[in-house]
PDB file of all heavy atoms in Angstrom:
ATOM      1  N   PRO A  86       0.048  11.729   2.280  1.00  0.00           N
ATOM      2  CA  PRO A  86       0.835  12.765   2.970  1.00  0.00           C
ATOM      3  C   PRO A  86      -0.058  13.767   3.690  1.00  0.00           C
ATOM      4  O   PRO A  86      -1.047  14.239   3.145  1.00  0.00           O
ATOM      5  CB  PRO A  86       1.610  13.430   1.820  1.00  0.00           C
ATOM      6  CG  PRO A  86       1.703  12.373   0.768  1.00  0.00           C
ATOM      7  CD  PRO A  86       0.427  11.597   0.863  1.00  0.00           C
ATOM      8  N   GLY A  87       0.308  14.050   4.922  1.00  0.00           N
ATOM      9  CA  GLY A  87      -0.439  15.012   5.711  1.00  0.00           C
ATOM     10  C   GLY A  87      -1.609  14.442   6.476  1.00  0.00           C
ATOM     11  O   GLY A  87      -2.256  15.166   7.241  1.00  0.00           O
ATOM     12  N   GLN A  88      -1.920  13.169   6.278  1.00  0.00           N
ATOM     13  CA  GLN A  88      -3.034  12.551   6.989  1.00  0.00           C
ATOM     14  C   GLN A  88      -2.518  11.584   8.048  1.00  0.00           C
ATOM     15  O   GLN A  88      -1.474  10.963   7.882  1.00  0.00           O
ATOM     16  CB  GLN A  88      -3.951  11.808   6.010  1.00  0.00           C
ATOM     17  CG  GLN A  88      -4.649  12.711   5.016  1.00  0.00           C
ATOM     18  CD  GLN A  88      -5.675  11.958   4.190  1.00  0.00           C
ATOM     19  OE1 GLN A  88      -6.169  10.905   4.579  1.00  0.00           O
ATOM     20  NE2 GLN A  88      -6.010  12.519   3.039  1.00  0.00           N
ATOM     21  N   VAL A  89      -3.271  11.448   9.130  1.00  0.00           N
ATOM     22  CA  VAL A  89      -2.873  10.565  10.208  1.00  0.00           C
ATOM     23  C   VAL A  89      -3.321   9.142   9.905  1.00  0.00           C
ATOM     24  O   VAL A  89      -4.183   8.912   9.055  1.00  0.00           O
ATOM     25  CB  VAL A  89      -3.465  11.014  11.559  1.00  0.00           C
ATOM     26  CG1 VAL A  89      -2.983  12.404  11.911  1.00  0.00           C
ATOM     27  CG2 VAL A  89      -4.993  10.967  11.529  1.00  0.00           C
ATOM     28  N   VAL A  90      -2.720   8.191  10.608  1.00  0.00           N
ATOM     29  CA  VAL A  90      -3.133   6.803  10.493  1.00  0.00           C
ATOM     30  C   VAL A  90      -4.472   6.646  11.213  1.00  0.00           C
ATOM     31  O   VAL A  90      -4.588   7.003  12.384  1.00  0.00           O
ATOM     32  CB  VAL A  90      -2.095   5.866  11.124  1.00  0.00           C
ATOM     33  CG1 VAL A  90      -2.528   4.413  11.004  1.00  0.00           C
ATOM     34  CG2 VAL A  90      -0.725   6.070  10.483  1.00  0.00           C
ATOM     35  N   PRO A  91      -5.510   6.142  10.553  1.00  0.00           N
ATOM     36  CA  PRO A  91      -6.784   5.953  11.256  1.00  0.00           C
ATOM     37  C   PRO A  91      -6.643   4.881  12.319  1.00  0.00           C
ATOM     38  O   PRO A  91      -5.932   3.891  12.133  1.00  0.00           O
ATOM     39  CB  PRO A  91      -7.744   5.509  10.138  1.00  0.00           C
ATOM     40  CG  PRO A  91      -6.862   4.926   9.092  1.00  0.00           C
ATOM     41  CD  PRO A  91      -5.578   5.693   9.152  1.00  0.00           C
ATOM     42  N   LEU A  92      -7.297   5.084  13.434  1.00  0.00           N
ATOM     43  CA  LEU A  92      -7.229   4.135  14.538  1.00  0.00           C
ATOM     44  C   LEU A  92      -8.436   3.208  14.435  1.00  0.00           C
ATOM     45  O   LEU A  92      -9.535   3.547  14.856  1.00  0.00           O
ATOM     46  CB  LEU A  92      -7.208   4.876  15.875  1.00  0.00           C
ATOM     47  CG  LEU A  92      -6.902   4.037  17.115  1.00  0.00           C
ATOM     48  CD1 LEU A  92      -5.566   3.332  16.974  1.00  0.00           C
ATOM     49  CD2 LEU A  92      -6.911   4.914  18.361  1.00  0.00           C
ATOM     50  N   GLU A  93      -8.233   2.034  13.843  1.00  0.00           N
ATOM     51  CA  GLU A  93      -9.310   1.069  13.637  1.00  0.00           C
ATOM     52  C   GLU A  93      -9.096  -0.104  14.591  1.00  0.00           C
ATOM     53  O   GLU A  93      -8.075  -0.790  14.526  1.00  0.00           O
ATOM     54  CB  GLU A  93      -9.342   0.603  12.189  1.00  0.00           C
ATOM     55  CG  GLU A  93      -9.577   1.751  11.212  1.00  0.00           C
ATOM     56  CD  GLU A  93      -9.868   1.271   9.802  1.00  0.00           C
ATOM     57  OE1 GLU A  93     -10.048   0.055   9.611  1.00  0.00           O
ATOM     58  OE2 GLU A  93      -9.903   2.118   8.897  1.00  0.00           O
ATOM     59  N   LEU A  94     -10.070  -0.323  15.454  1.00  0.00           N
ATOM     60  CA  LEU A  94      -9.938  -1.312  16.520  1.00  0.00           C
ATOM     61  C   LEU A  94     -11.136  -2.253  16.527  1.00  0.00           C
ATOM     62  O   LEU A  94     -12.213  -1.913  16.065  1.00  0.00           O
ATOM     63  CB  LEU A  94      -9.809  -0.617  17.879  1.00  0.00           C
ATOM     64  CG  LEU A  94      -8.701   0.429  18.010  1.00  0.00           C
ATOM     65  CD1 LEU A  94      -8.817   1.154  19.337  1.00  0.00           C
ATOM     66  CD2 LEU A  94      -7.334  -0.215  17.862  1.00  0.00           C
ATOM     67  N   GLY A  95     -10.930  -3.428  17.078  1.00  0.00           N
ATOM     68  CA  GLY A  95     -11.999  -4.394  17.230  1.00  0.00           C
ATOM     69  C   GLY A  95     -11.915  -5.056  18.590  1.00  0.00           C
ATOM     70  O   GLY A  95     -11.071  -4.719  19.424  1.00  0.00           O
ATOM     71  N   VAL A  96     -12.792  -6.023  18.818  1.00  0.00           N
ATOM     72  CA  VAL A  96     -12.832  -6.749  20.084  1.00  0.00           C
ATOM     73  C   VAL A  96     -13.195  -8.195  19.771  1.00  0.00           C
ATOM     74  O   VAL A  96     -13.976  -8.463  18.852  1.00  0.00           O
ATOM     75  CB  VAL A  96     -13.858  -6.107  21.047  1.00  0.00           C
ATOM     76  CG1 VAL A  96     -15.271  -6.238  20.525  1.00  0.00           C
ATOM     77  CG2 VAL A  96     -13.740  -6.686  22.437  1.00  0.00           C
ATOM     78  N   PRO A  97     -12.597  -9.170  20.463  1.00  0.00           N
ATOM     79  CA  PRO A  97     -12.937 -10.572  20.207  1.00  0.00           C
ATOM     80  C   PRO A  97     -14.400 -10.864  20.493  1.00  0.00           C
ATOM     81  O   PRO A  97     -15.000 -10.303  21.410  1.00  0.00           O
ATOM     82  CB  PRO A  97     -12.025 -11.332  21.177  1.00  0.00           C
ATOM     83  CG  PRO A  97     -10.926 -10.396  21.496  1.00  0.00           C
ATOM     84  CD  PRO A  97     -11.521  -9.025  21.457  1.00  0.00           C
ATOM     85  N   ARG A  98     -14.982 -11.753  19.705  1.00  0.00           N
ATOM     86  CA  ARG A  98     -16.384 -12.103  19.857  1.00  0.00           C
ATOM     87  C   ARG A  98     -16.671 -12.670  21.249  1.00  0.00           C
ATOM     88  O   ARG A  98     -17.703 -12.373  21.845  1.00  0.00           O
ATOM     89  CB  ARG A  98     -16.797 -13.114  18.794  1.00  0.00           C
ATOM     90  CG  ARG A  98     -18.278 -13.441  18.774  1.00  0.00           C
ATOM     91  CD  ARG A  98     -18.615 -14.379  17.625  1.00  0.00           C
ATOM     92  NE  ARG A  98     -18.238 -13.811  16.344  1.00  0.00           N
ATOM     93  CZ  ARG A  98     -18.977 -12.945  15.661  1.00  0.00           C
ATOM     94  NH1 ARG A  98     -20.143 -12.539  16.156  1.00  0.00           N
ATOM     95  NH2 ARG A  98     -18.583 -12.477  14.496  1.00  0.00           N
ATOM     96  N   ASP A  99     -15.761 -13.477  21.783  1.00  0.00           N
ATOM     97  CA  ASP A  99     -16.027 -14.077  23.085  1.00  0.00           C
ATOM     98  C   ASP A  99     -16.002 -13.053  24.211  1.00  0.00           C
ATOM     99  O   ASP A  99     -16.538 -13.280  25.284  1.00  0.00           O
ATOM    100  CB  ASP A  99     -15.030 -15.200  23.385  1.00  0.00           C
ATOM    101  CG  ASP A  99     -13.582 -14.743  23.260  1.00  0.00           C
ATOM    102  OD1 ASP A  99     -13.356 -13.551  23.012  1.00  0.00           O
ATOM    103  OD2 ASP A  99     -12.687 -15.598  23.411  1.00  0.00           O
ATOM    104  N   ARG A 100     -15.400 -11.898  23.969  1.00  0.00           N
ATOM    105  CA  ARG A 100     -15.394 -10.855  24.986  1.00  0.00           C
ATOM    106  C   ARG A 100     -16.694 -10.062  25.000  1.00  0.00           C
ATOM    107  O   ARG A 100     -17.085  -9.497  26.008  1.00  0.00           O
ATOM    108  CB  ARG A 100     -14.211  -9.910  24.777  1.00  0.00           C
ATOM    109  CG  ARG A 100     -13.933  -8.998  25.957  1.00  0.00           C
ATOM    110  CD  ARG A 100     -12.755  -8.099  25.672  1.00  0.00           C
ATOM    111  NE  ARG A 100     -11.557  -8.878  25.381  1.00  0.00           N
ATOM    112  CZ  ARG A 100     -10.453  -8.358  24.852  1.00  0.00           C
ATOM    113  NH1 ARG A 100     -10.429  -7.071  24.525  1.00  0.00           N
ATOM    114  NH2 ARG A 100      -9.401  -9.117  24.619  1.00  0.00           N
ATOM    115  N   THR A 101     -17.385 -10.016  23.835  1.00  0.00           N
ATOM    116  CA  THR A 101     -18.626  -9.247  23.777  1.00  0.00           C
ATOM    117  C   THR A 101     -19.713  -9.893  24.629  1.00  0.00           C
ATOM    118  O   THR A 101     -20.574  -9.211  25.180  1.00  0.00           O
ATOM    119  CB  THR A 101     -19.128  -9.131  22.331  1.00  0.00           C
ATOM    120  OG1 THR A 101     -19.469 -10.431  21.836  1.00  0.00           O
ATOM    121  CG2 THR A 101     -18.069  -8.525  21.445  1.00  0.00           C
ATOM    122  N   ALA A 102     -19.679 -11.229  24.743  1.00  0.00           N
ATOM    123  CA  ALA A 102     -20.693 -11.896  25.554  1.00  0.00           C
ATOM    124  C   ALA A 102     -20.574 -11.497  27.016  1.00  0.00           C
ATOM    125  O   ALA A 102     -21.565 -11.301  27.718  1.00  0.00           O
ATOM    126  CB  ALA A 102     -20.554 -13.412  25.410  1.00  0.00           C
ATOM    127  N   ALA A 103     -19.324 -11.347  27.474  1.00  0.00           N
ATOM    128  CA  ALA A 103     -19.118 -10.959  28.861  1.00  0.00           C
ATOM    129  C   ALA A 103     -19.536  -9.514  29.108  1.00  0.00           C
ATOM    130  O   ALA A 103     -19.983  -9.164  30.203  1.00  0.00           O
ATOM    131  CB  ALA A 103     -17.654 -11.166  29.241  1.00  0.00           C
ATOM    132  N   ARG A 104     -19.432  -8.676  28.069  1.00  0.00           N
ATOM    133  CA  ARG A 104     -19.759  -7.257  28.226  1.00  0.00           C
ATOM    134  C   ARG A 104     -21.238  -6.981  27.991  1.00  0.00           C
ATOM    135  O   ARG A 104     -21.705  -5.876  28.246  1.00  0.00           O
ATOM    136  CB  ARG A 104     -18.928  -6.422  27.240  1.00  0.00           C
ATOM    137  CG  ARG A 104     -17.438  -6.433  27.571  1.00  0.00           C
ATOM    138  CD  ARG A 104     -16.712  -5.474  26.665  1.00  0.00           C
ATOM    139  NE  ARG A 104     -15.296  -5.404  26.994  1.00  0.00           N
ATOM    140  CZ  ARG A 104     -14.428  -4.564  26.421  1.00  0.00           C
ATOM    141  NH1 ARG A 104     -14.848  -3.737  25.490  1.00  0.00           N
ATOM    142  NH2 ARG A 104     -13.164  -4.560  26.773  1.00  0.00           N
ATOM    143  N   GLY A 105     -21.957  -7.968  27.440  1.00  0.00           N
ATOM    144  CA  GLY A 105     -23.373  -7.750  27.163  1.00  0.00           C
ATOM    145  C   GLY A 105     -23.551  -6.695  26.102  1.00  0.00           C
ATOM    146  O   GLY A 105     -22.898  -6.722  25.073  1.00  0.00           O
ATOM    147  N   ARG A 106     -24.394  -5.715  26.345  1.00  0.00           N
ATOM    148  CA  ARG A 106     -24.706  -4.692  25.345  1.00  0.00           C
ATOM    149  C   ARG A 106     -23.894  -3.418  25.541  1.00  0.00           C
ATOM    150  O   ARG A 106     -24.219  -2.395  24.973  1.00  0.00           O
ATOM    151  CB  ARG A 106     -26.196  -4.352  25.392  1.00  0.00           C
ATOM    152  CG  ARG A 106     -27.099  -5.530  25.027  1.00  0.00           C
ATOM    153  CD  ARG A 106     -28.556  -5.112  25.058  1.00  0.00           C
ATOM    154  NE  ARG A 106     -29.431  -6.190  24.648  1.00  0.00           N
ATOM    155  CZ  ARG A 106     -29.745  -6.463  23.388  1.00  0.00           C
ATOM    156  NH1 ARG A 106     -29.243  -5.725  22.416  1.00  0.00           N
ATOM    157  NH2 ARG A 106     -30.553  -7.463  23.101  1.00  0.00           N
TER     158      ARG A 106
END
Side-chain angles (χ1 to χ4, degrees):
Q88 295 187 22
V89 299
V90 180
L92 190 57
E93 300 191 9
L94 306 172
V96 65
R98 186 176 302 277
D99 54 4
R100 194 180 301 167
T101 64
R104 292 186 177 185
R106 297 182 177 274

